[in-house]
């Protein structure tokens, strides 16, 4: 089946695009309004795209009535936010925080999580999150009246100590299990991990390495 984007409604585009490009990680974003009220909401149009500058990107849509989401308003106003990664320990908080809370009510009061001060931004992170990225606003690209791309410059990364191998200073893959968003109400957890180095041109040209020689494990 070929689907020409110009033939699809906005809803159909969203349905197919968000279902094809999976899995997506989920950013449980904490932000703060001008009065200091903390907001939390999950965003899965999210990833990191560069390390120098260190940039994380969020795709934030309008609410169904066309109004602006609190996260975007807060980032515009305060210019700082924190991306909290989501694992099983805060899965309930992620789902609660996705509800359409009024702007003057904090999701945190219902989410069963604790806030702690960040190191580099004046927005708190979620203590239970396995990892958090403290961000300053770098740029907002308005894709349309209803879609904004928020580029955050990452100032600091918090990672729970037990996820890091002290000898190698690397994250231990088997211990870090962030949720994967599929589409609609579907989610997944990471399955088997495997390692495979990038082939060298010597292996391909001189040793005749072919795709069929590469096994999964
Ligand atoms: C797992 C998950 C991922 C989501 N990803 C996005 C997203 O990438 N962009 C978006 O605009 N809304 C997304 N949403 C919906 C928002 O979380 C929802 O609209 C929320 O109420 C926004 O809260 P806020 O107004 O406090 O920012 C997602 C919801 C869930 C459950």
């Amino acid at each position: 089946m070929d689907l020409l984007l110009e033939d699809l409604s906005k809803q159909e585009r969203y349905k197919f695009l968000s279902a094809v490009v999976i899995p997506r990680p989920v950013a449980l974003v904490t932000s703060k309004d001008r009065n200091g009220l903390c907001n939390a909401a999950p965003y899965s149009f999210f990833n990191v795209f560069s390390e120098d500058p260190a940039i994380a990107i969020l795709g934030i849509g309008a609410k169904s009535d066309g109004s602006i989401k609190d996260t975007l308003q807060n980032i515009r106003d305060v210019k700082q936010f924190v991306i909290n990664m989501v694992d099983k320990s805060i899965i309930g908080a992620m789902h609660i925080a996705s509800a359409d809370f009024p702007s003057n009510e904090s999701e945190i009061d219902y989410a069963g999580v604790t806030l702690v001060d960040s190191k580099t931004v004046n927005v708190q992170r979620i203590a239970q999150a396995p990892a958090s990225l403290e961000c300053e606003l770098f740029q907002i690209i308005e894709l349309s009246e209803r879609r904004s791309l928020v580029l955050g410059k990452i100032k600091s990364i918090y990672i729970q100590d037990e996820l890091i191998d002290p000898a190698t200073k690397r994250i231990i893959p088997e211990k870090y299990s962030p949720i994967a968003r599929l589409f609609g109400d579907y989610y997944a957890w990471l399955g088997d991990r495997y390692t495979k180095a990038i082939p060298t041109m010597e292996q391909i040209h001189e040793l005749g390495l072919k795709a069929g020689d590469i096994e999964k494990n």
Side-chain angles (χ1 to χ4, degrees), residues 39 41-45 59-61 69-71 98-99 107 181 187:
N39 188 87
Y43 287 87
S44 70
F45 283 151
I60 304 187
K69 292 192 182 180
D70 294 338
T71 300
S98 67
E107 293 82 357
R181 176 111 195 257
Y187 298 86

Side-chain angles (χ1 to χ4, degrees), residues 11-213:
Q11 291 76 12
E12 289 169 328
R13 290 175 181 204
Y14 177 81
K15 197 173 76 180
F16 285 112
L17 291 172
S18 65
V20 166
V21 183
I22 59 167
R24 291 185 306 282
V26 177
L28 182 51
V29 179
T30 42
S31 61
K32 210 163 84 168
D33 73 10
R34 285 197 166 117
N35 301 316
L37 186 72
C38 183
N39 188 87
Y43 287 87
S44 70
F45 283 151
F46 151 62
N47 220 305
V48 286
F49 286 87
S50 93
E51 79 293 347
D52 189 18
I55 297 294
I57 301 185
L58 304 170
I60 304 187
K63 292 189 186 186
S64 48
D65 65 1
S67 63
I68 185 171
K69 292 192 182 180
D70 294 338
T71 300
L72 180 59
Q73 187 65 57
N74 291 350
I75 293 173
R76 277 188 186 158
D77 291 345
V78 174
K79 302 190 179 358
Q80 294 184 333
F81 57 100
V82 178
I83 290 169
N84 302 276
M85 299 300 292
V86 177
D87 68 5
K88 280 191 177 149
S89 68
I90 55 168
I91 193 71
M94 182 197 81
H95 288 293
I96 292 284
S98 67
D100 190 15
F101 280 84
S103 304
N104 62 0
E105 198 171 14
S106 176
E107 293 82 357
I108 296 293
D109 296 339
Y110 298 82
V113 291
T114 319
L115 294 175
V116 285
D117 287 346
S118 297
K119 284 272 179 289
T120 56
V121 295
N122 198 15
V123 174
Q124 291 182 303
R125 64 176 173 82
I126 293 174
Q128 293 85 350
S132 301
L133 308 174
E134 299 176 10
C135 298
E136 266 177 9
L137 177 61
F138 183 77
Q139 192 182 350
I140 298 180
I141 302 173
E142 306 292 355
L143 298 178
S144 74
E145 275 183 12
R146 298 181 66 99
R147 274 279 163 198
S148 304
L149 281 190
V150 172
L151 281 65
K153 186 167 181 181
I154 303 161
K155 308 294 290 182
S156 179
I157 310 171
Y158 165 80
I159 307 170
Q160 283 182 356
D161 288 345
E162 56 268 33
L163 301 182
I164 299 190
D165 179 338
T168 62
K169 296 269 192 307
R170 284 179 184 270
I171 287 186
I172 304 161
E174 292 74 20
K175 288 198 174 174
Y176 183 48
S177 203
I179 194 165
R181 176 111 195 257
L182 302 181
F183 54 90
D185 294 339
Y186 281 84
Y187 298 86
W189 298 109
L190 296 180
D192 295 346
R193 279 85 161 157
Y194 75 98
T195 59
K196 189 70 67 185
I198 296 174
T200 62
M201 286 316 299
E202 185 194 14
Q203 285 176 310
I204 292 171
H205 278 165
E206 288 162 36
L207 302 175
L209 182 71
K210 303 239 177 335
D213 300 330

